[in-house]
Amino acid sequence: MTLHRAARPKRTSKTTRKPKNTPPPYIYGTIPDDTFGAKNDPPELHGPQAPHLITDRRFAYLINNPDLYAAADTLPGPRAVGRPPHYPPVIYLIFLCSISVFGSARATAAHFQDEDWWKRIRSAIRTHSGDEAADALRPTGPTRSNWNHYFRRHLKPAHDKIRDISSDLWVEQALAHGMLCETSNRTSRVRPERQQVLHGDATVARPPSGHSEHETVDKRTGEIRRRRVDEDAGICIEGGGKQVYGNKFLSTAVRLAATPHSRVILALESIRHKSVKEDPERESEGVALVAMVKRILKRARGTKAVTYDAALRGRHRAPLIAEGLVVFTPQHDGLTPQSLLRYKDKDSPCSHDLYVAEGRVCERRFIDGNETLYTPLPVEELECRGGKNSTRFYHRIVIPCPTKTHQLRIRVDETDEDRQVDPKTKKQRFNRTEHLRQVPPSTPAGRRLKGFRQDSESIHSRFDQAYPHERVPAYGARGALLIYLGYAWLNNSITRALNALHS
């Protein structure tokens, strides 16, 4: 049997300011070949590269998305008081989404003032809203002043309604593409189909101004300069310990396997990145994700799994697991092995100390007097059983033993006993979903699910690159969320146009 000690992490640069982790004071045994895969399994094949789409085509896909017109019909009409809008809501919704095509509101207004571009919009309005709506439009599109007025007076107050109706339409689009649906293919919960897995992540969107003070003083001349500040922005820590100033957003999406331009962004939300006192309106990242996924599940019961990063802790995974989902995240740093049970076979004198280490059930033994060895036990199957109020998951594990081979089932979802509070520590007796994973990260099945989550990084990268200097052209969390919603509409319109919908 080959043993290996946990490797020391690579040395990070000073800019990350991450604490230096020391190797754990135990030996971790060889990971067995089991239901989660074998060491010699071939790697997942890469899908084809997505072809580049020119600006004209992306814009054409956007303005010809019928769902966009359905969303515009739910927007509030003109107010009883104040200056009425110069254009119907659908034009401003198209304007919002077009900012992600042209990079800014200034560039979008310039294109809408151009006769050729405005003719394309009028043609799309005629197709989807009728001749009367198209003939009622002005000879040219909204100016930047028209846009700023409508954005401030109408879109920002209705941002939550736009967010919710957009999410509902996007989920329906994903279902129409064959995603998040029950299929006739026999697949295990350990290896769900790509289009049945939600992937999510949070990102920090930088505002147009990086200043955090309304007034700054030039140290050389003493001149006082007034700056515009995003009141909602703050300093957030991204992966690798990088500090970013901006507003934090959460997104979830799904895509087809090996199909370019098939990603559908399902939901977006502005989440808390300051203290509760400074930002009481928004939920924290984990709580917001749980609420978002549950809302998607109401419409998409074919969802099998969710993959996220280490920000999702055990208390967040537990309610999603109870919904019948496989929830995969990397193992969080700093977790120590936890005692699970002492197994005694009734037909033999042997006993085995079972612990949870590095996300799975292990047998603890002592070697060489003072060395602790945790040997991962093979898992034959991840079992799922539906209950009255929640779904239960089990690992059917095997304990190799000279006397006989033992088999037993271990719950990998939160139990009633786990939730009880220890009177001594005043804490939950056992945070099972924090220490024990449905799919252990260090397995082929775990690495496959981790690869699915990387698609979220692509979403955020493309979102940042859509605007000059990678700064979202809107101030405030509501304004930036609306810009992100417009980007999602553009992305989903491309997916809709390039992938035939199921009948």
Side-chain angles (χ1 to χ4, degrees):
M1 179 176 65
T2 303
L3 305 178
H4 69 276
R5 293 182 183 274
R8 187 183 295 274
K10 293 182 179 180
R11 189 173 184 177
T12 57
S13 62
K14 292 182 179 180
T15 57
T16 61
R17 298 180 181 178
K18 294 184 68 176
K20 295 181 180 179
N21 296 326
T22 57
Y26 58 83
I27 300 173
Y28 195 71
T30 302
I31 297 174
D33 296 342
D34 56 10
T35 190
F36 302 121
K39 181 175 63 176
N40 297 326
D41 286 347
E44 291 284 323
L45 297 177
H46 292 285
Q49 187 175 6
H52 178 72
L53 298 176
I54 62 175
T55 301
D56 294 50
R57 184 165 296 180
R58 295 166 69 223
F59 184 71
Y61 293 156
L62 171 67
I63 62 177
N64 286 290
N65 184 351
D67 285 346
L68 192 64
Y69 296 85
D73 289 340
T74 66
L75 295 180
R79 296 183 178 182
V81 296
R83 187 178 70 182
H86 292 80
Y87 300 86
V90 66
I91 294 297
Y92 289 106
L93 187 56
I94 292 175
F95 193 109
L96 172 67
C97 303
S98 300
I99 291 175
S100 298
V101 179
F102 304 117
S104 67
R106 183 191 299 272
T108 302
H111 281 81
F112 278 40
Q113 293 286 303
D114 180 80
E115 181 180 352
D116 292 337
W117 288 91
W118 184 240
K119 186 183 298 183
R120 302 180 191 184
I121 297 173
R122 295 189 68 153
S123 177
I125 295 294
R126 191 176 303 279
T127 301
H128 297 281
S129 300
D131 293 338
E132 184 178 352
D135 294 338
L137 293 176
R138 297 191 174 199
T140 59
T143 64
R144 192 180 176 202
S145 177
N146 298 147
W147 162 250
N148 288 337
H149 177 265
Y150 192 88
F151 186 67
R152 182 179 66 256
R153 294 291 302 275
H154 297 275
L155 286 183
K156 278 190 175 181
H159 83 285
D160 52 349
K161 185 174 184 178
I162 298 172
R163 176 200 60 204
D164 293 342
I165 188 60
S166 296
S167 179
D168 292 342
L169 290 169
W170 296 337
V171 173
E172 293 300 325
Q173 178 185 339
L175 293 171
H177 285 302
M179 307 178 198
L180 308 180
C181 300
E182 293 288 353
T183 65
S184 58
N185 298 334
R186 293 176 61 89
T187 57
S188 69
R189 290 188 174 270
V190 172
R191 290 179 177 81
E193 296 183 28
R194 183 68 180 89
Q195 59 267 23
Q196 294 178 321
V197 181
L198 294 177
H199 55 265
D201 194 18
T203 187
V204 180
R206 298 196 300 168
S209 170
H211 293 281
S212 58
E213 301 291 338
H214 289 281
E215 292 185 351
T216 59
V217 180
D218 190 310
K219 295 181 179 180
R220 185 174 61 86
T221 64
E223 178 186 2
I224 298 177
R225 296 181 179 179
R226 290 174 174 80
R227 310 286 187 180
R228 188 170 180 183
V229 175
D230 189 322
E231 301 293 347
D232 293 332
I235 295 178
C236 308
I237 306 298
E238 287 193 326
K242 181 181 178 182
Q243 292 186 352
V244 182
Y245 178 75
N247 294 290
K248 199 168 189 179
F249 299 98
L250 171 67
S251 70
T252 54
V254 65
R255 71 175 304 157
L256 297 171
T259 306
H261 293 301
S262 65
R263 181 194 302 121
V264 177
I265 300 175
L266 299 171
L268 295 167
E269 183 60 280
S270 172
I271 56 177
R272 181 185 299 135
H273 57 276
K274 298 181 180 180
S275 65
V276 178
K277 183 178 180 180
E278 292 179 298
D279 193 13
E281 295 182 0
R282 284 173 283 275
E283 297 288 356
S284 60
E285 184 173 344
V287 175
L289 178 73
V290 172
M292 183 180 290
V293 172
K294 285 186 174 182
R295 191 171 188 272
I296 294 172
L297 280 178
K298 291 180 180 180
R299 292 175 173 265
R301 297 305 303 179
T303 307
K304 299 298 183 185
V306 177
T307 177
Y308 205 77
D309 60 21
L312 205 66
R313 305 304 297 265
R315 64 181 180 273
H316 307 128
R317 287 190 289 268
L320 296 180
I321 293 173
E323 294 286 340
L325 296 175
V326 172
V327 184
F328 177 83
T329 64
Q331 189 75 351
H332 203 276
D333 294 336
L335 297 180
T336 58
Q338 300 290 309
S339 176
L340 186 62
L341 59 91
R342 185 177 180 83
Y343 176 77
K344 294 184 178 181
D345 186 75
K346 60 181 180 179
D347 299 325
S348 61
C350 62
S351 63
H352 301 270
D353 290 327
L354 302 187
Y355 274 66
V356 178
E358 301 192 19
R360 62 188 300 159
V361 179
C362 302
E363 181 180 4
R364 187 187 72 166
R365 287 182 292 175
F366 296 100
I367 57 175
D368 298 333
N370 58 356
E371 292 278 9
T372 306
L373 167 65
Y374 292 97
T375 304
L377 299 177
V379 178
E380 292 187 331
E381 186 181 356
L382 174 63
E383 295 183 353
C384 176
R385 297 182 181 181
K388 292 183 178 179
N389 300 320
S390 63
T391 304
R392 293 172 294 174
F393 286 87
Y394 298 83
H395 278 178
R396 194 171 76 231
I397 67 173
V398 175
I399 305 177
C401 179
T403 305
K404 61 180 291 189
T405 299
H406 310 288
Q407 292 184 340
L408 70 156
R409 289 178 173 84
I410 301 294
R411 288 275 295 271
V412 291
D413 61 292
E414 191 175 67
T415 67
D416 294 335
E417 292 76 13
D418 295 337
R419 300 186 191 97
Q420 294 178 2
V421 177
D422 190 322
K424 294 182 179 179
T425 63
K426 306 299 181 182
K427 297 181 180 179
Q428 183 176 315
R429 286 188 180 276
F430 183 40
N431 193 348
R432 186 180 299 260
T433 51
E434 176 75 3
H435 296 274
L436 185 56
R437 302 303 178 85
Q438 295 163 292
V439 179
S442 55
T443 60
R447 288 189 286 271
R448 174 176 180 264
L449 289 173
K450 183 178 180 180
F452 290 173
R453 196 207 70 82
Q454 300 306 317
D455 198 57
S456 296
E457 302 289 349
S458 176
I459 296 175
H460 300 322
S461 176
R462 291 294 184 184
F463 174 65
D464 291 338
Q465 294 170 10
Y467 315 105
H469 311 295
E470 298 187 355
R471 292 186 177 274
V472 177
Y475 283 92
R478 289 185 177 184
L481 177 61
L482 285 168
I483 298 295
Y484 207 156
L485 288 167
Y487 170 81
W489 271 112
L490 173 63
N491 174 90
N492 295 348
S493 298
I494 294 172
T495 299
R496 183 187 183 95
L498 297 180
N499 297 273
L501 298 177
H502 292 192
S503 58

